[in-house]
Amino acid sequence: VQLQASGGGSVQVGGSLRLSCEASRRLRGFDGMAWFRRAPGMEREFVATLGWSGGRAFYGDAVKGRFTVSKNNAQNLVYLQMNNLQEADTAVYYCAAGRFVADDERQYDYWGHGTQVTVSS
């Protein structure tokens, strides 16, 4: 499966962006979709995850209350709505697909190329 992330860009502190991740197809047994990010010089960080089959979404501590992950099963799309963006949110954002909903990047088998988000004051 191929994952294509889009929607990144430059925004000022306090602004919003919505990222999209389009999956070329849905794989049987692969339910988890997630967003991770990597800031310059940092390790990749968990952002949010949810399952195609439903259930609750989970968020990293740094984004709780500001980011919302959602999906469109019919179009194989996963979104990440990012509000009240801060400079610390500057990173390359990646979407990933795995068998389960998880916050551990090792649980994800397919990754998109990432989209850059830059937040400045």
Side-chain angles (χ1 to χ4, degrees):
V1 63
Q2 292 183 323
L3 302 176
Q4 181 66 51
S6 62
S10 296
V11 65
Q12 290 191 322
V13 169
S16 298
L17 283 173
R18 188 177 82 156
L19 306 183
S20 299
C21 175
E22 181 175 12
S24 59
R25 60 191 179 101
R26 300 261 301 276
L27 290 176
R28 184 183 298 272
F30 279 73
D31 187 60
M33 292 294 294
W35 289 95
F36 289 81
R37 67 187 183 184
R38 176 173 282 161
M42 304 291 285
E43 296 291 321
R44 190 151 53 187
E45 176 187 22
F46 166 71
V47 175
T49 184
L50 80 174
W52 290 116
S53 60
R56 61 169 290 189
F58 297 88
Y59 298 90
D61 289 341
V63 307
K64 282 179 183 176
R66 299 187 299 123
F67 291 12
T68 302
V69 62
S70 61
K71 61 186 175 70
N72 182 324
N73 286 39
Q75 297 186 7
N76 293 345
L77 283 164
V78 176
Y79 303 102
L80 184 68
Q81 177 66 43
M82 306 185 295
N83 296 330
N84 191 21
L85 283 160
Q86 305 297 313
E87 291 184 1
D89 296 316
T90 295
V92 177
Y93 284 72
Y94 301 88
C95 60
R99 294 187 179 276
F100 309 106
V101 171
D103 61 2
D104 184 346
E105 64 177 324
R106 295 170 296 181
Q107 300 298 322
Y108 291 90
D109 300 287
Y110 298 93
W111 293 81
H113 289 296
T115 184
Q116 175 72 46
V117 171
T118 302
V119 185
S120 59
S121 58

